[in-house]
DNA sequence: TTGACGCCTTGAGGTGGATCAAGCCACGAG
DNA sequence: CTCGTGGCTTGATCCACCTCAAGGCGTCAA
């Protein structure tokens, strides 16, 4: 197991479309890195070590305010990548990252990654549109923080997280504390908000499992059209 | 003047690095479009018409909340582009745009743009890193909104807007109302905040002209380390 | 000049969500 | 079993910023 990266890279959404030769090159350069739960992966301002691909576990990317407050920008689970943006733009790490669960990742050094981008036009196009999607989702997040209130943010997040489309139940893969931070709330407010949504019958909650009962109404709440029944 | 776009495109930061042949193709396809002050350019949800390059005037890109509240994502002045992200990602327009001053722009249809991206690997790389920079700046904005208070946001914006590096005076190119919206403040709060910064001697204000007097202290304020003298 | 309109400023009061401080529950270790 | 720890919930209080309302000031057209 000199290189567990092989599987990780082949299975990840970013690289799985690459040609065999590119993949081989990638794999031959990639290092496998492991982190314990809670371990810091990099700090804001560190030189960017390259692109990380998560194989197992969970990673969170976050900013730290002078006062110590943290804001979670991004959660990365199996198949996802992080630090791509810094690697592409040649910035230093723009944020902190740590493991919220024991994690194993493949690390692709920046230089090798850049080689592939310059060699493979198709891949480059994919990266470009990938970045555009990032921008899109960030704009969504901005919109969230600015145009919606706490309840709206929670509602929208629930809708987006539910891949079942309101049919079955799904579970929140992160601590409430971190989710709260991602939505720029305190865990207290998140807790109260979920409770309120449940009271109104829009959702059911059980531990970290959630089921959406009234998708349409929840959508209304997300759009700021608070239904009358809201206390 | 069948095509004022020639100059616009040659002078803009995004396309000025292109080869002559690519430029020629681009110019031959581009349309010149004019907007009156206050005129709406596109709405959120419209199919993306292509990439706009601003030649003269000023454009603001903004989101609209159900309640009518608007949030300015981006100001575009001469040489800048907007709607690039939607064009690349093939989304519909993710926001509204209107002219805050009489404006003349070059419009490059999406299809033509895509042709260039697939034909010109170098350009594609540039676009990719351009998108990465967008992400970077959006993360900065997010950080601003989440980790800083009103005063910190204003301070940071002033520092970033001052190309003279604290030497001379510079002027805010947009209405205070729009700047306030960009920083997620009301114009009232912006007004008061500027006043307070001026009272403390960190800046001088005269109409829309601003001079930074104490860059270091202003930087501290931006970083949330409010100096004692702050009322 | 006069009036109307936009933009900015100033003041007084309201509020959403943060903060602080307990208590509760589940789970793992001893 | 008990204890300890980490995450979640709940309630009371507080404060930064918003909202609403009014007045000043510059600009443009008549």
């Amino acid at each position: 197991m000199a290189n567990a990266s092989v599987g990780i890279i082949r299975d990840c959404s970013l690289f799985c479309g690459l040609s065999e030769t590119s993949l081989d090159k990638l794999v031959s350069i990639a290092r496998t890195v492991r982190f314990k739960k809670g371990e810091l992966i990099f700090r804001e301002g560190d030189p960017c070590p390259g692109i990380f691909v998560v194989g197992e576990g969970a990673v969170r990317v976050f900013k730290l305010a002078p006062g110590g407050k943290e804001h979670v920008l991004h959660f990365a689970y199996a198949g996802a990548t992080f630090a791509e943006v810094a690697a592409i733009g040649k910035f230093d790490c723009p944020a902190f990252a740590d493991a919220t669960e024991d994690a194993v990742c493949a690390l692709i050094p920046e230089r090798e990654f850049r080689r592939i981008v310059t060699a493979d036009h198709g891949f480059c196009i994919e990266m470009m549109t990938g970045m555009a999607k990032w921008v899109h989702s960030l704009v969504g997040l901005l919109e969230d923080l600015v145009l919606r209130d706490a309840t709206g943010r929670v509602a929208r997040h629930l809708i987006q997280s539910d891949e079942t489309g309101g049919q079955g139940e799904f579970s929140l893969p992160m601590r409430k504390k971190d989710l709260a931070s991602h939505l720029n709330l305190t865990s207290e407010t998140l807790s109260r908000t979920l409770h309120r949504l449940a009271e109104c019958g829009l959702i059911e909650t059980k531990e970290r499992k959630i089921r959406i009962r009234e998708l349409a109404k929840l959508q209304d709440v997300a759009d700021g059209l608070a239904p009358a029944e809201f206390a």
Side-chain angles (χ1 to χ4, degrees), chain A residues 186-207:
Chain A
T186 56
S187 60
E188 292 97 321
T189 302
L190 174 59
S191 179
R192 285 186 255 264
T193 303
L194 284 174
H195 202 80
R196 208 144 20 90
L197 288 173
E199 263 179 3
C200 295
L202 302 194
I203 61 173
E204 274 174 32
T205 67
K206 191 201 285 181
E207 315 277 307

Side-chain angles (χ1 to χ4, degrees), chain A residues 53-133:
Chain A
V53 187
V54 181
E56 291 170 33
V59 168
R60 91 191 186 194
V61 180
F62 60 99
K63 283 271 191 181
L64 222 44
K69 178 180 173 183
E70 58 187 35
H71 176 76
V72 177
L73 289 170
H74 180 47
F75 299 98
Y77 304 102
T81 52
F82 61 99
E84 339 84 286
V85 178
I88 290 171
K90 306 188 198 177
F91 324 123
D92 290 338
C93 294
F96 296 80
D98 66 9
T100 53
E101 302 296 339
D102 289 0
V104 33
C105 305
L107 171 57
I108 298 151
E110 190 187 332
R111 163 176 308 194
E112 179 60 13
F113 168 74
R114 213 182 293 289
R115 268 236 320 266
I116 295 201
V117 167
T118 47
D120 187 331
H121 191 169
F123 178 63
C124 181
I125 290 177
E126 241 177 73
M127 288 303 307
M128 183 186 73
T129 61
M131 288 295 105
K133 292 206 180 97

Side-chain angles (χ1 to χ4, degrees), chain A residues 121-198:
Chain A
H121 191 169
F123 178 63
C124 181
I125 290 177
E126 241 177 73
M127 288 303 307
M128 183 186 73
T129 61
M131 288 295 105
K133 292 206 180 97
W134 248 111
V135 172
H136 199 209
S137 84
L138 279 178
V139 168
L141 239 173
L142 259 180
E143 184 189 355
D144 247 31
L145 296 181
V146 164
L147 301 179
R148 290 180 221 273
D149 63 6
T151 314
R153 296 205 286 278
V154 172
R156 193 174 89 105
H157 184 86
L158 291 180
I159 293 170
Q160 288 200 328
S161 309
D162 183 6
E163 320 83 12
T164 77
Q167 302 312 307
E169 69 180 15
F170 60 101
S171 67
L172 300 172
M174 69 290 273
R175 280 175 304 176
K176 293 234 166 100
K177 189 180 142 180
D178 288 324
L179 174 56
S181 161
H182 183 56
L183 298 174
N184 196 29
L185 298 172
T186 56
S187 60
E188 292 97 321
T189 302
L190 174 59
S191 179
R192 285 186 255 264
T193 303
L194 284 174
H195 202 80
R196 208 144 20 90
L197 288 173

